[in-house]
Amino acid sequence: MEDKEILARIGDLVEEEQRLRDRLQEGELSAEEEQQRLRTVEVALDQCWDLLRQRRARRESGQDPDDAQVRPGGEVEGYLQ
């Protein structure tokens, strides 16, 4: 996956986040449904950002960015900021 594809996926996920929040406000989703779905979107976003960072780091160090791999959600969620 190329950087621009990852960035497009990030954009799609951000839009999905907004749609979920809008649907909650309109009463189309319960708060519990919204939270469950948001959690899934947030993990996917973290995985995308992690993959993008890996690709950029590999490129900057002269390695092949295509060797970067999507890490499991539990791993990227465990990082400390």
Side-chain angles (χ1 to χ4, degrees):
M1 186 179 282
E2 297 290 321
D3 291 3
K4 66 181 180 179
E5 293 171 304
I6 298 168
L7 289 167
R9 177 73 177 132
I10 289 169
D12 292 343
L13 290 165
V14 169
E15 287 176 14
E16 177 65 15
E17 245 182 342
Q18 186 59 51
R19 279 192 300 273
L20 288 169
R21 293 181 198 286
D22 291 344
R23 290 183 67 199
L24 175 67
Q25 285 186 328
E26 294 170 10
E28 295 176 13
L29 285 177
S30 70
E32 186 177 318
E33 278 181 301
E34 184 228 18
Q35 288 303 309
Q36 288 175 344
R37 290 172 146 181
L38 276 177
R39 184 72 187 128
T40 301
V41 170
E42 289 168 355
V43 170
L45 272 169
D46 288 345
Q47 287 175 306
C48 286
W49 282 116
D50 176 68
L51 180 60
L52 192 59
R53 282 190 294 273
Q54 285 183 62
R55 289 180 57 79
R56 288 175 176 169
R58 287 180 144 312
R59 192 176 293 114
E60 289 173 10
S61 65
Q63 298 176 23
D64 185 355
D66 291 334
D67 288 340
Q69 299 290 316
V70 174
R71 296 183 224 224
E75 186 173 335
V76 297
E77 291 298 294
Y79 295 153
L80 298 176
Q81 296 288 327

